[in-house]
Amino acid sequence: MVMAYRTRRRAFILVDVIIAGVLLGIALATVIGLTGSALASQRRGEELQNAAMLADEQLNLVLAVGPEAFPSTFRTRGACPEPFANYQYAVTITPRGGSEPYIVTAEITWKSGARDLSVVVQTMIAPRRGDDPDPERQPEEIIEREQ
């Protein structure tokens, strides 16, 4: 009777170890899968952040030179400079006539794996009213500071 009890107890411990091993394997597979998903999400987030920054840069260039002069000053499409050479940009400027603001669209495209992705940002930029000289920026009277 004692021998049968020990055999059953050993069998029970063996079943416990097998079940614990299976549960541990499932847990490890889940953790590894979640880690892969987290890394992919982080990469997508970095790509979107880069694309948004590049679109903002193109819109700032339009704002700096004015929507009328932009096409003759800068290229309206092409590859972004290093280290963002895998991103492409396209800037579209649509006049609305008169003194109405221009509709400016910046599109950034890139490949991520086998997928083509893009970010499109659209805004309105008013036409420039000429080259106003920079205002005088000197103070009216000299400010003396004690040190």
Side-chain angles (χ1 to χ4, degrees):
M1 176 113 176
V2 173
M3 189 63 114
Y5 174 73
R6 285 185 181 169
T7 304
R8 274 190 262 141
R9 183 176 169 108
R10 285 184 187 162
F12 183 72
I13 291 173
L14 180 61
V15 170
D16 278 351
V17 168
I18 291 172
I19 290 173
V22 169
L23 291 176
L24 182 62
I26 291 171
L28 285 174
T30 303
V31 168
I32 290 170
L34 289 175
T35 303
S37 299
L39 290 174
S41 293
Q42 180 181 359
R43 188 185 74 244
R44 275 193 306 271
E46 288 173 357
E47 289 174 349
L48 283 173
Q49 181 181 8
N50 289 338
M53 182 255 327
L54 292 168
D56 186 58
E57 180 181 347
Q58 291 301 317
L59 293 176
N60 281 328
L61 287 173
V62 175
L63 187 62
V65 299
E68 305 93 346
F70 181 81
S72 61
T73 308
F74 296 100
R75 294 177 50 196
T76 58
R77 61 181 56 248
C80 294
E82 287 294 333
F84 305 106
N86 59 325
Y87 292 87
Q88 303 287 320
Y89 69 89
V91 177
T92 307
I93 300 173
T94 308
R96 294 176 50 205
S99 63
E100 291 292 315
Y102 288 74
I103 297 173
V104 181
T105 306
E107 180 177 12
I108 307 295
T109 57
W110 72 98
K111 277 197 177 294
S112 180
R115 297 175 25 199
D116 290 331
L117 300 175
S118 68
V119 167
V120 178
V121 180
Q122 188 174 62
T123 189
M124 299 173 86
I125 298 178
R128 294 189 74 150
R129 297 285 181 216
D131 291 328
D132 294 334
D134 285 337
E136 184 65 36
R137 298 182 191 271
Q138 298 294 324
E140 292 178 13
E141 55 188 66
I142 297 174
I143 301 171
E144 294 193 28
R145 300 173 198 250
E146 293 182 25
Q147 295 193 11

